[in-house]
Amino acid sequence: MSWIQRLLTLAHLVLGLLLLLGAVGFAAAVVGIRPPGRAGQWLVLLSLGYSFLGPFLTSLPQAALGVWMLVLSRWLWTGHRRLRTALLVTHGFLLLLGSLLVVVGFHAVDAAERSTANGGGLLSPVAFLPFLQGVPLTIFALCSIVISLAGTDHDRRQLP
């Protein structure tokens, strides 16, 4: 196994665990169960639902995405035959999601600036949360697409 595949395996494992942790933490916060202090705040902030579409629309898909990242991590470790296709499709979707979060972040910051100019703006720092999630997700997706194109076998017979 090359060092590129080991790096991809580790990155997918870490991202999958973070996505699962964020989904479980946010679902627990919605129900009213939250660890006190900084740990509880980070569990909620790791969830995409905190700054995107809302808890009920994103907590379950975020958990499913976390499980899929763990599956991709396993496929990278063992060398599944449809690995390249799965990586490109998955990270193409993640690139779209990360880009959408960045666009939402720009609109949220614009709205926060308008609110602050009109005397409001109490929750203006919350406008940066989509950037906190969208920029790393976009960078992860771009890097993973480039590395998967460079580091995995590209036998045409394996593509569906």
Side-chain angles (χ1 to χ4, degrees):
M1 176 184 292
S2 69
W3 66 272
I4 292 175
Q5 284 184 322
R6 287 184 181 150
L7 181 67
L8 275 175
T9 300
L10 181 64
H12 283 87
L13 180 67
V14 168
L15 184 65
L17 291 175
L18 282 175
L19 285 169
L20 280 176
L21 185 64
V24 168
F26 192 71
V30 167
V31 176
I33 305 168
R34 191 182 77 156
R38 290 276 183 212
Q41 291 174 354
W42 279 106
L43 282 177
V44 172
L45 289 178
L46 284 174
S47 171
L48 294 174
Y50 187 71
S51 62
F52 196 45
L53 293 174
F56 301 109
L57 293 176
T58 60
S59 189
L60 188 60
Q62 181 178 348
L65 184 61
V67 169
W68 178 244
M69 285 293 154
L70 294 177
V71 168
L72 278 179
S73 175
R74 175 73 175 150
W75 283 9
L76 278 161
W77 190 260
T78 60
H80 194 270
R81 68 182 190 97
R82 298 213 183 226
L83 177 62
R84 184 179 177 151
T85 304
L87 284 172
L88 292 177
V89 169
T90 300
H91 294 296
F93 171 73
L94 285 180
L95 182 63
L96 179 67
L97 181 63
S99 301
L100 183 62
L101 279 169
V102 169
V103 169
V104 166
F106 279 123
H107 288 299
V109 168
D110 184 47
E113 287 176 356
R114 284 193 313 262
S115 176
T116 303
N118 291 332
L122 183 61
L123 290 175
S124 293
V126 176
F128 290 100
L129 285 177
F131 287 119
L132 180 69
Q133 297 159 346
V135 171
L137 193 62
T138 303
I139 291 170
F140 173 73
L142 281 173
C143 290
S144 189
I145 287 171
V146 168
I147 291 172
S148 67
L149 284 174
T152 57
D153 296 330
H154 59 282
D155 187 6
R156 289 282 181 191
R157 291 173 287 152
Q158 292 179 358
L159 297 175

